């Protein structure tokens, strides 16, 4: 059962390396398979020698079996170290990629914040400057100076407010002119 599982695992690795077109790793799997097959054959031969030819012949076969077991063990250890090294290399690559993505996200976040601030300043100025101008003209009108001009030409709510103030200023100016006319007419007796 363990021998079958070992062979299945070797086949799985072989398929992976063939898909990746990793010839070196594929050759390593072939070498492991050859060493395992030799180990398996020597094991059977050793068992047969013990059963058929006795302990002395079995012990001779065991020496060769032990040598092949060491060869297989060394190849498995080499394969394991190669896998660990490959995993470490892939991990370093992933860590570098994550770091790169993190820097890009930080840059994009910083850029978005700067753009948001600039847009907010632009919008705020687009609102506060005209409102400040309207307030200055309103204070002037309240002080009796109807000669001030509102130079806002926007086509939004601020523009509508400016037009309303212009109309109000013109109405107040017309009323004041009519009052002046009326006063002059009364003074000259007309």
């Amino acid at each position: 059962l363990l021998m079958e599982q070992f062979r299945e695992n070797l086949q799985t690795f072989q398929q992976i390396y063939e898909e990746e077109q990793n010839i070196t790793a594929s050759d390593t799997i072939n070498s492991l398979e050859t060493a395992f097959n030799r180990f398996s054959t020597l094991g059977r031969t050793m068992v047969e020698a013990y059963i058929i030819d006795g302990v002395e012949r079995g012990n001779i076969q065991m020496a060769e079996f032990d040598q092949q077991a060491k060869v297989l063990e060394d190849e498995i250890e080499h394969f394991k170290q190669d896998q660990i090294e490959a995993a470490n290399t892939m991990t370093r690559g992933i860590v570098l990629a994550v770091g790169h993505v993190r820097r890009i996200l930080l840059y994009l976040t910083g850029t978005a914040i700067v753009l948001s601030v600039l847009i907010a300043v632009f919008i705020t100025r687009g609102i506060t400057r005209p409102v400040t101008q309207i307030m200055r003209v309103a204070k002037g009108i309240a002080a009796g100076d109807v000669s001030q001009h509102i130079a806002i030409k926007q086509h939004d709510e601020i523009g509508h407010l400016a037009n309303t103030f212009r109309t109000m200023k013109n109405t107040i100016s017309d009323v004041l002119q009519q009052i002046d006319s009326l006063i002059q007419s009364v003074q000259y007796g007309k």
Side-chain angles (χ1 to χ4, degrees), residues 2 8 12 28 45 47 55 58-59 65 71 93 106 109-110 141 145 164 186:
L2 290 176
E8 287 174 14
T12 300
T28 301
T45 303
V47 168
V55 173
N59 286 342
F65 175 79
V71 168
L106 286 173
T109 300
I141 291 171
D145 181 9
T164 302
V186 169

Short mmCIF file of all heavy atoms in Angstrom, two decimals, residues 2 8 12 28 45 47 55 58-59 65 71 93 106 109-110 141 145 164 186:
data_model
loop_
_atom_site.label_atom_id
_atom_site.label_comp_id
_atom_site.label_asym_id
_atom_site.label_seq_id
_atom_site.Cartn_x
_atom_site.Cartn_y
_atom_site.Cartn_z
N LEU A 2 1.91 1.30 0.83
CA LEU A 2 2.80 2.46 0.88
C LEU A 2 3.57 2.62 -0.44
O LEU A 2 3.81 3.75 -0.89
CB LEU A 2 3.79 2.34 2.05
CG LEU A 2 3.18 2.49 3.44
CD1 LEU A 2 4.23 2.25 4.52
CD2 LEU A 2 2.58 3.88 3.61
N GLU A 8 2.14 6.78 -6.81
CA GLU A 8 1.10 7.75 -7.18
C GLU A 8 1.58 9.18 -6.94
O GLU A 8 1.35 10.07 -7.77
CB GLU A 8 -0.19 7.49 -6.39
CG GLU A 8 -0.95 6.27 -6.83
CD GLU A 8 -2.15 5.96 -5.93
OE1 GLU A 8 -2.53 6.85 -5.12
OE2 GLU A 8 -2.68 4.85 -6.05
N THR A 12 2.02 12.21 -9.62
CA THR A 12 1.41 13.53 -9.45
C THR A 12 2.45 14.62 -9.67
O THR A 12 2.22 15.59 -10.39
CB THR A 12 0.80 13.67 -8.03
OG1 THR A 12 -0.19 12.66 -7.87
CG2 THR A 12 0.18 15.03 -7.83
N THR A 28 14.44 14.69 -12.13
CA THR A 28 14.61 14.29 -10.72
C THR A 28 13.56 13.25 -10.34
O THR A 28 13.87 12.25 -9.67
CB THR A 28 14.50 15.52 -9.79
OG1 THR A 28 15.51 16.46 -10.14
CG2 THR A 28 14.66 15.13 -8.34
N THR A 45 14.02 -9.39 -3.82
CA THR A 45 15.12 -10.36 -3.96
C THR A 45 15.64 -10.76 -2.59
O THR A 45 15.92 -11.94 -2.33
CB THR A 45 16.26 -9.75 -4.81
OG1 THR A 45 15.74 -9.37 -6.07
CG2 THR A 45 17.39 -10.73 -5.01
N VAL A 47 14.00 -10.71 0.30
CA VAL A 47 13.00 -11.55 0.97
C VAL A 47 13.06 -12.97 0.43
O VAL A 47 13.03 -13.96 1.19
CB VAL A 47 11.59 -10.93 0.81
CG1 VAL A 47 10.51 -11.91 1.25
CG2 VAL A 47 11.48 -9.64 1.59
N VAL A 55 19.40 -17.53 5.84
CA VAL A 55 19.80 -16.27 6.48
C VAL A 55 21.11 -15.73 5.89
O VAL A 55 21.23 -14.53 5.64
CB VAL A 55 19.95 -16.47 8.02
CG1 VAL A 55 20.52 -15.24 8.68
CG2 VAL A 55 18.63 -16.85 8.63
N GLY A 58 20.44 -14.24 2.58
CA GLY A 58 19.57 -13.08 2.81
C GLY A 58 20.36 -11.89 3.34
O GLY A 58 20.12 -10.74 2.96
N ASN A 59 21.35 -12.16 4.24
CA ASN A 59 22.17 -11.08 4.79
C ASN A 59 23.02 -10.43 3.70
O ASN A 59 23.26 -9.22 3.72
CB ASN A 59 23.05 -11.59 5.93
CG ASN A 59 22.25 -11.84 7.19
OD1 ASN A 59 21.14 -11.34 7.33
ND2 ASN A 59 22.80 -12.63 8.11
N PHE A 65 20.64 -4.18 -0.46
CA PHE A 65 19.36 -3.50 -0.23
C PHE A 65 19.58 -2.23 0.60
O PHE A 65 19.02 -1.17 0.30
CB PHE A 65 18.39 -4.46 0.48
CG PHE A 65 17.08 -3.84 0.89
CD1 PHE A 65 16.08 -3.65 -0.06
CD2 PHE A 65 16.87 -3.44 2.20
CE1 PHE A 65 14.87 -3.09 0.31
CE2 PHE A 65 15.65 -2.86 2.57
CZ PHE A 65 14.65 -2.69 1.62
N VAL A 71 20.78 5.28 -1.09
CA VAL A 71 20.71 6.05 -2.34
C VAL A 71 19.33 6.69 -2.48
O VAL A 71 19.20 7.89 -2.77
CB VAL A 71 21.01 5.15 -3.58
CG1 VAL A 71 20.66 5.85 -4.88
CG2 VAL A 71 22.47 4.72 -3.56
N GLY A 93 9.06 35.86 -4.05
CA GLY A 93 8.44 36.54 -5.19
C GLY A 93 7.07 37.10 -4.82
O GLY A 93 6.72 38.22 -5.20
N LEU A 106 -0.68 52.65 -1.91
CA LEU A 106 -0.37 53.84 -1.12
C LEU A 106 -0.25 55.07 -2.03
O LEU A 106 -0.76 56.15 -1.70
CB LEU A 106 0.92 53.63 -0.33
CG LEU A 106 0.81 52.71 0.88
CD1 LEU A 106 2.19 52.45 1.48
CD2 LEU A 106 -0.13 53.28 1.92
N THR A 109 -3.73 55.96 -3.19
CA THR A 109 -4.48 56.55 -2.09
C THR A 109 -4.02 57.99 -1.86
O THR A 109 -4.85 58.89 -1.70
CB THR A 109 -4.29 55.71 -0.80
OG1 THR A 109 -4.76 54.39 -1.05
CG2 THR A 109 -5.03 56.32 0.37
N GLY A 110 -2.70 58.19 -1.85
CA GLY A 110 -2.17 59.55 -1.68
C GLY A 110 -2.63 60.47 -2.80
O GLY A 110 -3.03 61.62 -2.55
N ILE A 141 -25.03 98.20 -0.76
CA ILE A 141 -26.42 98.65 -0.98
C ILE A 141 -27.03 99.06 0.35
O ILE A 141 -27.72 100.09 0.45
CB ILE A 141 -27.24 97.55 -1.68
CG1 ILE A 141 -26.76 97.36 -3.11
CG2 ILE A 141 -28.73 97.89 -1.65
CD1 ILE A 141 -27.37 96.15 -3.81
N ASP A 145 -24.95 102.67 -1.24
CA ASP A 145 -24.20 102.72 -2.51
C ASP A 145 -24.78 101.70 -3.47
O ASP A 145 -24.50 100.51 -3.40
CB ASP A 145 -22.72 102.43 -2.26
CG ASP A 145 -21.89 102.49 -3.52
OD1 ASP A 145 -22.42 102.93 -4.57
OD2 ASP A 145 -20.71 102.08 -3.47
N THR A 164 -30.59 87.63 -9.04
CA THR A 164 -31.62 88.15 -8.14
C THR A 164 -31.12 89.41 -7.44
O THR A 164 -31.85 90.41 -7.34
CB THR A 164 -32.01 87.07 -7.10
OG1 THR A 164 -32.46 85.91 -7.81
CG2 THR A 164 -33.09 87.56 -6.17
N VAL A 186 -40.78 118.40 -6.21
CA VAL A 186 -41.39 119.10 -5.08
C VAL A 186 -40.61 120.36 -4.79
O VAL A 186 -41.19 121.43 -4.51
CB VAL A 186 -41.45 118.17 -3.84
CG1 VAL A 186 -41.83 118.93 -2.59
CG2 VAL A 186 -42.39 117.03 -4.09
#
